Amino acid sequence: MAASPAYGEEKGGSSSLGEPEYGHDPASGGIFASDYKRHDDLKEMLDSNKDSLKLEAMKRIVAMIARGKNASDLFPAVVKNVACKNIEVKKLVYVYLVRYAEEQQDLALLSISTFQRGLKDPNQLIRASALRVLSSIRVPIIVPIMMLAIKEAASDMSPYVRKTAAHAIPKLYSLDSDQKDQLIEVIEKLLADKTTLVAGSVVMAFEEVCPERIDLIHKNYRKLCNLLIDVEEWGQVVIINMLTRYARTQFLSPNQNESLLEESAEKAFYGSEEEDTKDAKAEAASLAKRKPYVMDPDHRLLLRNTKPLLQSRNAAVVMAVAQLYFHLAPKAEVGVIAKALVRLLRSHSEVQYVVLQNVATMSIKRRGMFEPYLKSFYIRSTDPTQIKILKLEVLTNLANETNISTILREFQTYIRSMDKDFVAATIQAIGRCATNIGKVRDTCLNGLVQLLSNRDELVVAESVVVIKKLLQMQPAQHSEIIKHMAKLTDNIQVPMARASILWLIGEYCEHVPKIAPDVLRKMAKSFTNEEDIVKLQVINLAAKLYLTNSKQSKLLTQYVLNLAKYDQNYDIRDRARFIRQLIVPTEKSGALNKYAKKLFLAQKPAPILESSFKDRDHFQLGSLSHLLNAKAVGYQELPDWPDEAPDPSVRNVEVPEWTKCTSREKRKDKVEKPFYSDSEGESGPTESADSEPESDSEESGSSSSSGTSSSSSEEEDEEEEEGGSEEQSEDKEGEEEEEEKRKKKKEKGGPRKASPRSVGSEEEEEAEGKKVKKAAGPQGKKGHAESSSEEASASESSSSGSDSGTEAPTVVEAKRRKVIPSSKAGPKEISLLDLDDFTPPPPQPVPSSSIISTSLVTDLEGLTLTDTSLAPALLSPAFGAVRTYELLHRMAGEGLSVEYCFSRRPFPGDPHMVAVQIQISNNTDAEVKSLRVSEPKLLAGMRIQEFPEIALCFQRAWRPGTQPAW
Amino acid sequence: MIHSLFLINASGDIFLEKHWKSVVSRSVCDYFFEAQERASEAENVPPVISTPHHYLLSVYRHKIFFVAVIQTEVPPLFVIEFLHRVVDTFQDYFGVCSEVMIKDNVVVVYEVLEEMLDNGFPLATESNILKELIKPPTILRTVVNTITGSTNVGDQLPTGQLSVVPWRRTGVKYTNNEAYFDVIEEIDAIIDKSGSTITAEIQGVIDACVKLTGMPDLTLSFMNPRLLDDVSFHPCVRFKRWESERILSFIPPDGNFRLLSYHVSAQNLVAIPVYVKHNINFRDSSSLGRFEITVGPKQTMGKTVEGVMVTSQMPKGVLNMSLTPSQGTHIFDPVTKLLTWDVGKINPQKLPSLKGSMNLQAGTSKPDENPTINLQFKIQQLAISGLKVNRLDMYGEKYKPFKGIKYMTKAGKFQVRT
């Protein structure tokens, strides 16, 4: 809309707006107007008192800004409209202001009072938007005003305003980093905020301002974990990344005993010893290291609460969770992320690109994780080249003896692709497969040799290079191939390929004694026309031939060296001079001459073909630095696991009497959420931190109730009490521990009766065959009583027997392992734990318990010795306390036996439910995989809480669970 | 986080720039242009480019590059996902996301971008909230605005941002209350030369169009939820209910949205509804090649296969093709060497075929690879995985909504190697 002169009349009439700043306008406007006639019309429109004209003008100005045109000369005319009543005009003025305030600081100050007024507005949204614009104006002079505004807004009633305050913090920080200390105070305050709206923004501010102040997180850790699922998606990404770093500093590595579980059985036993001793050396406190690993419940809480986010529609969230699992989870649990990552491969190609880079890194370390999804990485002809090459990388990483034939068949199709870069990459990939998997080396080599007759020169050249590398591994058997390649020198023009062939012939000239001199002859002829790298190799070949077959090649060598002497390239001249001195004996030639043969014809190690993604995982996955394989600005290094866990009690929100156990209970933040978890472990944490004061009483309540419920068994009562006493005595655990242990041993012996109620569920269970159920719920409240005792006694098997039924499944898990050794070897009750790091044993390690250090190795040895025959015997001592019923006999189950018992405690998640503990023992030598509840057939009125699939059960390992029924 | 955004069209013009922090000169895009030159095709431009002082993260959609400028470490997917969200929002606002559309609505675009990020950190990305803040331009509204002088910036404040269901507007009213769900499944498959399936999987989505008054609370249950191997939800879905009961329970956003996307794993056998018989021969000596393909239905559960479209990228050596289709139309572009055959419906009695010869460049040897055939098709009223919606219930509101469910199967990335 062109401005007509008529609007001029309206100029100055806009006093109706009541703008105090308005008066300044004519003067300042005039100055600029004289310079830029073309904006006169816009200025006139802005000065008019019609909103529609102002709006039109602002729209045109914003369009200019959007196109990157300079509109700064309109600043005075625009800024006076900052208080315009029309919302759209106002918004556009804000846009303008934020864009140009930095350049026109003095004039920008005119607008400040409007925002200050806005900050006091009763409407929270106006307060927020005033703060937002105020903090976006990058004018250093107003830093104090901003600071004040932020502080005020941080304690605003409205969470939305507080969120805006959190957003303003990094803005102020980038404007004036001297404000850091004050800002940290604000951040600390906002971190304590309990609303989901604020959480993401404040963590963002934390990351930008003070990522090193990890101590600020302690008190909010559990809250953040629990809020996470309700935070908006972008905030989730930031929080998850931050928590990954946090966890790396606060918890112990769940894979300390990696070798124990991942490697094959025998290896593990020896390996473990070695590793242990190595560790012991590395660490002064060897004792601590040998302690069986138990996962900090806070660590578990994080893993559990992030898991459902793998189902987010936002790829960034999924990736964030994936990297969290990769960096923090025990090996056996990392697998869950594979499915989600593969799903992302359906997304846009940019997303694929980033995800594949990360998958490539992961697949080197955890190949097994992606193996089931091999076919998802097959390449389509329509994929962009960069995606193809990344997929190829992943396929190569995933190749192993079992799937190599399928992969090679795929590769065969790829080789015929029209995309030559991709073909070259495929040939490289074949080379890598051949080096990594000995079985197929010959097949690959033959295939590559066939490619030598390909019409495309690039393909041939690439094959030559790869064949050269492969031949180095076993040259003797392949003189035919070398001969074949020698013939190729006539045709191949690609320098790298020519150089490779020459090198091969030189290196293995004794395998092709007749051909080698002939090749040299040809090369000598064309020497001057060759590329530099080829020339160097010709000299090399000449030297080697001179040494092995001087009769035929003496003159040729002389000739080549003479040519090289006058070459333009100094490298070549140098090389020629050097070689002449070395190989041609003269009077002057020194001692080296004698060794020339050794020097040139030494055994050279075969090259190792490695993935370029190897070792990239020292960067936090999913980060920009990882993608670039270089440290990006502002990248926060992912710290190594600490050798010893820092004090977990720092995360306690209150100061309770029972220091230790509260660390568990504190986290019981949201009763509603526990199902998200894989119901591993002590989900005690899921209860509300807010209800903290109650939780203590709750706890005692529940413990007593559970005590009474098991009316027939005194032991249980006793045990409960003991748990209580332990809780109280936690501080002096050192002394009391032993005592308690003795007590517990006693208890263990005591038989327990099963509840009569068991029948119904028994039937039900039987109907289901080998299915196992775990209650997610029981973890909640029951966890604590148990876990506290657990904690105190670290891993006493004795206690486990007695109260195993009641606990959260993981706790039970931990126990079951203890149970095994105790039954077969009296004193070695302790630590099969190490064996099964593939499941996450929850209880925290107790620093002072010396029993645990009973040699791990001996335990393990004990294990190896045990045989199937022992297995049935295991049950009785372990679960003598509670009567168990057979669900599946091991004969009927082909080695898999299932027993269950009733812990006879109420299921805290639901008063109408009851917990059932199931133990699965695998008496075979093979692994049992994928234990899960498939469709349960329930009687009317019955419900169960399922537990997630147990990936695999090793030999003689045990899987218990609890199942609430009706 | 995100410092600036540049929109670049196919011819390399920066036609829009937006800065959320200090201004970054547009000369930073030169690095991008360099990378673009190096990559032969637009989709091969690396999504992440490192420059001395900045990092450029880009996505390419609708022939436009969206280039975000980053200065510090940030998860790349965070930015990429956000950029895609920006494109989706534009699409939602303007129907199509094209250079012309963006230029025509530059002010709205700018306002939307302003709301989406604050200081480079995403603020409001939910299109429902955005639409409340900035009304999308419609013809009617433009007319009304010019007459009455009202604006298309909502004078309400973004109350949605404050609510517990940020994805839903408050005070929604409709006279016809309706909720439609489309179950759309796509088959991704690679079929090898001999016709056997190398890999096949089903990706499905449930897109919803919900126009219901007030704050309805919906539950959607399936006959066979176990089919869903891997799912991802719109944030409105209550994850807990799904975990425990396999029921989708949610308060829907207003309008169109994607409720769920799922994956039916490769382990399950996937029915392949069509087959392609092909006979493509390049002869070494002569400059003529033979080309013949036939498409036929395989496991279609009695439904008709429609919208069949065959595309194939021919090797460079092919100069021209003279083909006769038994039905439909075909085009061969001698520049891009792309053959497209729009088949239409498959009649099982009379299978569509395309036969003829190819002219090859004289003197060159025959191509190594036969072209891959890409197939598109649609089957109405069928979800190939067998997924069935059991029922949809509404709570929280009194009225009776009109409900509808539609199934469709489509080809996703469906390739036949020859």
Side-chain angles (χ1 to χ4, degrees):
Chain A
M1 180 191 299
S4 68
Y7 297 133
E9 304 155 18
E10 286 156 17
K11 218 200 235 176
S14 52
S15 53
S16 59
L17 292 174
E19 253 318 289
E21 289 88 355
Y22 187 70
H24 299 278
D25 170 59
S28 47
I31 296 163
F32 287 94
S34 59
D35 298 343
Y36 293 96
K37 285 269 185 324
R38 64 199 167 103
H39 290 152
D40 273 356
D41 52 339
L42 285 175
K43 252 173 256 170
E44 272 171 36
M45 289 162 78
L46 285 170
D47 288 347
S48 85
N49 59 359
K50 271 197 189 165
D51 280 350
S52 59
L53 284 177
K54 287 185 180 179
L55 184 60
E56 186 56 35
M58 280 317 296
K59 280 188 173 172
R60 282 167 57 188
I61 293 169
V62 167
M64 278 165 65
I65 297 174
R67 282 196 305 263
K69 299 245 165 64
N70 187 1
S72 59
D73 56 319
L74 289 161
F75 200 90
V78 172
V79 79
K80 69 182 178 211
N81 284 310
V82 72
C84 179
K85 293 254 166 17
N86 182 306
I87 284 196
E88 189 168 14
V89 174
K90 202 159 150 178
K91 278 202 167 166
L92 293 175
V93 172
Y94 286 177
V95 168
Y96 182 90
L97 208 55
V98 171
R99 171 68 178 76
Y100 284 113
E102 211 172 358
E103 298 173 22
Q104 313 241 351
Q105 308 213 344
D106 294 344
L107 285 168
L109 293 179
L110 297 177
S111 61
I112 302 298
S113 65
T114 319
F115 299 128
Q116 282 181 305
R117 226 175 305 139
L119 287 171
K120 301 268 185 300
D121 198 281
N123 186 326
Q124 49 175 338
L125 296 156
I126 293 180
R127 287 201 300 276
S129 87
L131 178 62
R132 194 179 152 199
V133 183
L134 180 70
S135 56
S136 300
I137 298 175
R138 289 169 295 273
V139 180
I141 268 184
I142 62 161
V143 163
I145 301 177
M146 276 167 75
M147 193 68 225
L148 208 67
I150 290 174
K151 277 186 178 163
E152 227 159 78
S155 37
D156 198 287
M157 264 166 45
S158 148
Y160 185 63
V161 177
R162 296 202 296 271
K163 181 190 176 74
T164 317
H167 277 281
I169 292 169
K171 297 185 207 169
L172 180 53
Y173 180 67
S174 66
L175 198 60
D176 180 7
S177 49
D178 292 344
Q179 306 291 322
K180 187 170 178 179
D181 292 340
Q182 287 194 60
L183 287 175
I184 291 178
E185 274 170 37
V186 182
I187 290 176
E188 194 170 2
K189 183 170 179 184
L190 287 171
L191 273 173
D193 205 300
K194 284 195 171 60
T195 54
T196 50
L197 209 53
V198 183
S201 306
V202 69
V203 172
M204 185 65 226
F206 170 84
E207 289 284 80
E208 287 206 7
V209 178
C210 52
E212 73 284 352
R213 288 291 304 275
I214 211 87
D215 56 296
L216 295 180
I217 303 301
H218 291 321
K219 292 264 179 260
N220 302 297
Y221 173 82
R222 287 163 196 163
K223 184 196 69 196
L224 284 174
C225 287
N226 287 319
L227 286 184
L228 194 58
I229 194 145
D230 296 322
V231 174
E232 40 89 34
E233 42 196 354
W234 310 106
Q236 285 172 345
V237 178
V238 178
I239 295 176
I240 293 171
N241 279 316
M242 187 275 289
L243 289 178
T244 309
R245 254 184 26 244
Y246 178 86
R248 272 294 186 103
T249 61
Q250 300 300 317
F251 306 129
L252 293 174
S253 166
N255 298 318
Q256 283 168 20
N257 304 303
E258 244 165 48
S259 61
L260 289 181
L261 71 125
E262 287 275 307
E263 277 152 40
S264 63
E266 325 94 70
K267 228 180 174 178
F269 297 122
Y270 301 114
S272 71
E273 193 170 17
E274 273 163 30
E275 197 195 58
D276 257 31
T277 48
K278 211 167 53 192
D279 283 339
K281 261 181 246 159
E283 249 181 289
S286 62
L287 213 80
K289 191 72 183 182
R290 280 155 162 267
K291 213 179 293 167
Y293 171 76
V294 273
M295 186 182 277
D296 187 299
D298 286 328
H299 189 170
R300 170 55 58 200
L301 173 76
L302 177 61
L303 292 177
R304 195 180 43 239
N305 282 6
T306 47
K307 198 174 174 190
L309 294 178
L310 282 173
Q311 246 131 23
S312 170
R313 64 167 173 173
N314 186 319
V317 176
V318 177
M319 190 66 234
V321 178
Q323 65 85 20
L324 181 133
Y325 261 75
F326 184 79
H327 289 301
L328 300 182
K331 273 195 171 176
E333 287 169 57
V334 180
V336 297
I337 64 177
K339 197 187 267 180
L341 288 176
V342 169
R343 185 184 71 226
L344 295 186
L345 293 181
R346 272 282 293 178
S347 190
H348 301 285
S349 79
E350 295 88 4
V351 175
Q352 283 185 45
Y353 177 80
V354 179
V355 172
L356 282 170
Q357 297 248 358
N358 286 292
V359 169
T361 307
M362 290 183 195
S363 59
I364 290 174
K365 263 219 159 154
R366 309 272 156 87
R367 180 202 289 156
M369 196 161 99
F370 290 101
E371 254 172 26
Y373 304 99
L374 185 73
K375 287 186 172 176
S376 304
F377 298 102
Y378 281 7
I379 293 155
R380 291 162 205 277
S381 60
T382 41
D383 287 331
T385 311
Q386 50 187 355
I387 300 290
K388 284 182 185 162
I389 289 173
L390 283 170
K391 280 188 175 174
L392 207 53
E393 174 73 36
V394 175
L395 285 175
T396 317
N397 289 341
L398 293 182
N400 62 18
E401 299 234 340
T402 45
N403 60 22
I404 184 69
S405 53
T406 2
I407 291 184
L408 282 181
R409 210 173 311 132
E410 264 303 288
F411 283 177
Q412 259 163 26
T413 1
Y414 302 162
I415 281 173
R416 288 182 295 136
S417 164
M418 288 178 241
D419 183 343
K420 292 305 167 205
D421 292 337
F422 169 52
V423 174
T426 309
I427 294 170
Q428 297 268 10
I430 294 175
R432 265 180 54 203
C433 288
T435 29
N436 297 340
I437 302 163
K439 200 177 81 179
V440 293
R441 195 167 298 151
D442 288 341
T443 329
C444 290
L445 204 51
N446 288 338
L448 290 170
V449 169
Q450 275 168 32
L451 284 181
L452 291 177
S453 43
N454 194 293
R455 249 170 320 211
D456 192 282
E457 192 171 70
L458 268 173
V459 174
V460 179
E462 200 66 43
S463 315
V464 168
V465 176
V466 173
I467 289 175
K468 178 202 131 191
K469 289 176 183 164
L470 289 181
L471 285 186
Q472 264 185 278
M473 292 180 177
Q474 45 202 159
Q477 305 158 25
H478 297 294
S479 53
E480 275 310 307
I481 297 177
I482 299 175
K483 273 180 208 158
H484 182 80
M485 290 173 77
K487 285 179 200 146
L488 286 173
T489 45
D490 295 341
N491 303 318
I492 292 191
Q493 294 308 323
V494 178
M496 188 60 208
R498 287 177 80 87
S500 294
I501 296 176
L502 293 175
W503 185 89
L504 261 184
I505 296 171
E507 188 65 23
Y508 305 115
C509 49
E510 67 270 34
H511 298 301
V512 283
K514 294 208 176 120
I515 292 176
D518 200 45
V519 172
L520 181 62
R521 181 182 60 80
K522 281 185 194 162
M523 297 314 294
K525 215 159 97 185
S526 61
F527 185 83
T528 43
N529 299 325
E530 298 290 348
E531 288 278 335
D532 289 346
I533 63 167
V534 183
K535 283 178 182 169
L536 286 175
Q537 288 308 326
V538 176
I539 299 172
N540 239 340
L541 171 65
K544 284 173 185 168
L545 282 179
Y546 184 89
L547 291 172
T548 51
N549 185 2
S550 60
K551 204 170 82 190
Q552 272 182 299
S553 54
K554 192 171 177 186
L555 286 172
L556 273 172
T557 309
Q558 295 284 3
Y559 175 67
V560 168
L561 288 176
N562 280 335
L563 283 178
K565 194 173 167 187
Y566 299 106
D567 199 89
Q568 282 184 333
N569 186 303
Y570 49 77
D571 271 346
I572 294 170
R573 294 198 300 271
D574 279 357
R575 179 73 64 91
R577 209 168 294 142
F578 162 69
I579 284 180
R580 189 191 293 273
Q581 288 303 315
L582 204 56
I583 58 172
V584 184
T586 56
E587 315 83 66
K588 274 193 285 174
S589 62
L592 274 179
N593 200 333
K594 274 179 266 169
Y595 301 107
K597 203 160 185 173
K598 269 190 187 160
L599 285 175
F600 278 99
L601 297 170
Q603 276 291 333
K604 295 167 185 81
I608 303 161
L609 300 179
E610 271 184 340
S611 164
S612 57
F613 286 87
K614 201 168 178 263
D615 292 335
R616 266 213 209 176
D617 61 333
H618 64 270
F619 287 115
Q620 186 168 0
L621 284 180
S623 68
L624 187 60
S625 305
H626 169 264
L627 191 85
L628 299 169
N629 202 15
K631 226 168 149 181
V633 183
Y635 172 69
Q636 296 284 324
E637 203 80 52
L638 192 64
D640 266 339
W641 295 102
D643 291 332
E644 247 170 295
D647 183 11
S649 64
V650 291
R651 286 183 290 278
N652 292 351
V653 184
E654 290 151 337
V655 195
E657 304 135 89
W658 309 330
T659 358
K660 268 270 174 72
C661 61
T662 44
S663 69
R664 298 269 153 81
E665 286 144 25
K666 278 299 139 58
R667 289 159 289 110
K668 304 174 178 171
D669 232 291
K670 289 192 176 174
V671 189
E672 326 94 61
K673 283 198 187 153
F675 311 146
Y676 287 180
S677 70
D678 42 346
S679 75
E680 301 273 18
E682 62 314 313
S683 40
T686 22
E687 282 174 25
S688 155
D690 305 344
S691 66
E692 203 40 55
E694 295 153 28
S695 77
D696 287 354
S697 62
E698 241 173 36
E699 181 199 351
S700 55
S702 77
S703 62
S704 66
S705 74
S706 60
T708 47
S709 75
S710 60
S711 52
S712 53
S713 76
E714 302 163 11
E715 284 80 14
E716 205 156 325
D717 283 332
E718 207 181 300
E719 141 72 13
E720 284 300 322
E721 284 160 28
E722 189 181 282
S725 69
E726 266 172 42
E727 280 159 23
Q728 285 150 1
S729 63
E730 217 95 44
D731 299 343
K732 331 161 200 166
E733 52 185 47
E735 307 160 9
E736 297 200 15
E737 221 168 38
E738 293 211 335
E739 226 179 281
E740 276 159 22
K741 259 166 247 149
R742 257 174 273 133
K743 255 197 242 167
K744 282 182 192 153
K745 261 172 212 163
K746 261 185 269 155
E747 287 163 26
K748 180 181 111 193
R752 265 182 211 196
K753 287 179 206 160
S755 95
R757 272 204 274 154
S758 56
V759 192
S761 75
E762 175 181 23
E763 285 164 6
E764 164 202 323
E765 294 241 67
E766 235 131 35
E768 292 160 23
K770 327 172 188 173
K771 293 147 207 162
V772 192
K773 271 138 265 181
K774 242 188 222 174
Q779 317 152 335
K781 285 177 193 167
K782 283 171 190 165
H784 65 257
E786 148 58 24
S787 61
S788 55
S789 68
E790 182 80 13
E791 190 176 68
S793 57
S795 48
E796 284 160 278
S797 57
S798 45
S799 74
S800 59
S802 59
D803 58 356
S804 54
T806 40
E807 296 132 21
T810 12
V811 177
V812 179
E813 259 163 51
K815 230 147 255 177
R816 65 163 155 91
R817 284 164 216 138
K818 294 163 217 154
V819 165
I820 304 169
S822 72
S823 62
K824 24 177 165 116
K828 306 174 195 160
E829 306 165 352
I830 317 105
S831 53
L832 271 187
L833 271 182
D834 301 65
L835 231 203
D836 34 46
D837 324 33
F838 60 88
T839 60
Q844 283 175 322
V846 178
S848 62
S849 99
S850 55
I851 325 133
I852 306 156
S853 63
T854 329
S855 159
L856 172 84
V857 186
T858 44
D859 283 343
L860 293 170
E861 275 164 4
L863 217 213
T864 24
L865 293 175
T866 48
D867 266 324
T868 11
S869 56
L870 268 178
L874 299 182
L875 284 178
S876 41
F879 296 90
V882 177
R883 200 159 136 207
T884 59
Y885 296 84
E886 187 166 81
L887 181 58
L888 178 72
H889 189 261
R890 82 186 152 88
M891 300 315 267
E894 294 182 330
L896 191 77
S897 60
V898 182
E899 308 220 3
Y900 65 93
C901 61
F902 286 82
S903 48
R904 301 161 68 243
R905 300 199 182 176
F907 172 42
D910 186 336
H912 302 294
M913 294 181 103
V914 82
V916 177
Q917 179 195 349
I918 296 175
Q919 295 184 302
I920 301 175
S921 46
N922 179 1
N923 299 318
T924 62
D925 287 325
E927 301 164 9
V928 173
K929 289 182 180 159
S930 305
L931 292 173
R932 77 199 135 84
V933 182
S934 54
E935 278 174 335
K937 292 186 194 81
L938 298 177
L939 297 178
M942 286 168 74
R943 287 182 289 143
I944 64 160
Q945 296 282 351
E946 292 193 13
F947 65 92
E949 183 174 299
I950 296 166
L952 81 175
C953 189
F954 276 90
Q955 296 97 295
R956 287 179 298 281
W958 297 61
R959 276 291 158 169
T962 44
Q963 175 235 353
W966 72 103
Chain B
M1 290 251 157
I2 299 171
H3 222 93
S4 306
L5 174 70
F6 294 98
L7 303 196
I8 300 173
N9 66 12
S11 50
D13 298 328
I14 303 169
F15 66 93
L16 188 124
E17 62 179 73
K18 170 93 185 93
H19 308 274
W20 283 275
K21 299 186 185 182
S22 306
V23 177
V24 176
S25 157
R26 53 165 70 190
S27 63
V28 76
C29 291
D30 293 347
Y31 293 102
F32 179 80
F33 295 134
E34 247 171 57
Q36 198 183 0
E37 240 166 70
R38 240 174 290 136
S40 46
E41 282 162 69
E43 51 201 12
N44 271 327
V45 178
V48 181
I49 299 167
S50 170
T51 79
H53 301 288
H54 300 91
Y55 305 98
L56 304 178
L57 277 68
S58 61
V59 306
Y60 180 69
R61 274 178 79 182
H62 306 290
K63 306 224 160 81
I64 302 173
F65 285 102
F66 294 75
V67 184
V69 182
I70 310 295
Q71 262 185 332
T72 53
E73 166 69 47
V74 57
L77 268 188
F78 185 98
V79 180
I80 287 170
E81 182 78 18
F82 175 79
L83 292 176
H84 281 298
R85 205 61 73 78
V86 170
V87 182
D88 293 342
T89 310
F90 288 170
Q91 226 166 351
D92 200 28
Y93 259 79
F94 312 124
V96 282
C97 175
S98 67
E99 187 187 347
V100 179
M101 229 21 180
I102 291 175
K103 277 181 168 168
D104 286 353
N105 296 288
V106 69
V107 177
V108 177
V109 166
Y110 219 72
E111 284 169 327
V112 169
L113 288 176
E114 179 75 23
E115 291 299 334
M116 287 183 88
L117 284 181
D118 180 13
N119 195 35
F121 190 75
L123 189 63
T125 50
E126 208 54 67
S127 86
N128 264 284
I129 295 180
L130 284 169
K131 281 185 175 166
E132 216 173 316
L133 289 168
I134 299 142
K135 302 226 169 67
T138 60
I139 295 170
L140 181 67
R141 190 168 297 127
T142 331
V143 173
V144 171
N145 284 354
T146 32
I147 295 168
T148 62
S150 61
T151 70
N152 63 344
V153 168
D155 42 9
Q156 286 160 336
L157 290 149
T159 43
Q161 262 171 325
L162 305 175
S163 86
V164 276
V165 280
W167 53 86
R168 189 170 178 86
R169 292 195 286 136
T170 44
V172 185
K173 273 211 182 79
Y174 289 101
T175 40
N176 294 325
N177 288 297
E178 41 193 24
Y180 296 111
F181 294 88
D182 291 355
V183 179
I184 302 168
E185 299 197 332
E186 295 193 351
I187 305 173
D188 287 356
I190 303 179
I191 311 287
D192 81 356
K193 227 177 199 164
S194 58
S196 55
T197 312
I198 292 179
T199 161
E201 45 190 27
I202 298 171
Q203 310 282 345
V205 295
I206 299 182
D207 283 339
C209 175
V210 176
K211 294 182 172 167
L212 297 173
T213 309
M215 272 284 170
D217 196 334
L218 304 179
T219 55
L220 185 75
S221 61
F222 297 100
M223 307 279 264
N224 39 9
R226 284 206 304 144
L227 273 176
L228 308 182
D229 175 44
D230 183 30
V231 284
S232 72
F233 301 115
H234 189 279
C236 68
V237 177
R238 297 186 181 98
F239 186 75
K240 221 186 320 166
R241 285 286 298 277
W242 172 257
E243 279 292 271
S244 53
E245 299 167 58
R246 300 275 142 175
I247 284 175
L248 294 176
S249 155
F250 55 99
I251 294 175
D254 185 42
N256 295 312
F257 66 101
R258 175 154 296 174
L259 177 65
L260 166 79
S261 44
Y262 60 90
H263 176 259
V264 180
S265 71
Q267 275 83 346
N268 293 17
L269 268 180
V270 177
I272 304 291
V274 291
Y275 70 87
V276 177
K277 257 203 273 179
H278 49 83
N279 182 7
I280 302 172
N281 269 323
F282 299 104
R283 263 161 287 169
D284 237 337
S285 47
S286 87
S287 63
L288 271 183
R290 253 169 52 114
F291 184 95
E292 185 180 338
I293 46 178
T294 310
V295 188
K298 218 157 104 186
Q299 298 155 287
T300 59
M301 329 271 169
K303 304 276 200 275
T304 353
V305 185
E306 305 169 354
V308 181
M309 170 94 94
V310 176
T311 51
S312 180
Q313 179 71 52
M314 306 307 285
K316 284 196 196 73
V318 177
L319 284 182
N320 214 336
M321 306 181 82
S322 50
L323 304 168
T324 13
S326 69
Q327 74 177 70
T329 52
H330 78 283
I331 304 164
F332 175 71
D333 183 341
V335 182
T336 57
K337 316 283 181 203
L338 189 70
L339 172 72
T340 315
W341 175 31
D342 189 349
V343 184
K345 214 178 267 183
I346 295 182
N347 177 2
Q349 268 74 50
K350 192 173 159 292
L351 294 179
S353 64
L354 182 66
K355 287 180 198 170
S357 60
M358 299 176 279
N359 291 318
L360 301 177
Q361 202 163 357
T364 50
S365 45
K366 74 165 193 176
D368 299 327
E369 189 191 39
N370 277 347
T372 316
I373 297 169
N374 293 302
L375 214 58
Q376 283 172 325
F377 55 81
K378 258 195 310 214
I379 305 171
Q380 305 277 7
Q381 299 308 322
L382 172 73
I384 197 90
S385 69
L387 186 77
K388 272 230 147 55
V389 171
N390 186 15
R391 54 182 298 145
L392 176 74
D393 296 305
M394 188 181 76
Y395 305 96
E397 296 287 335
K398 292 252 154 48
Y399 56 85
K400 233 177 135 35
F402 187 78
K403 300 176 279 193
I405 272 271
K406 219 169 70 184
Y407 297 93
M408 200 201 304
T409 297
K410 291 201 286 193
K413 298 174 182 166
F414 197 102
Q415 292 202 335
V416 182
R417 292 176 179 165
T418 62

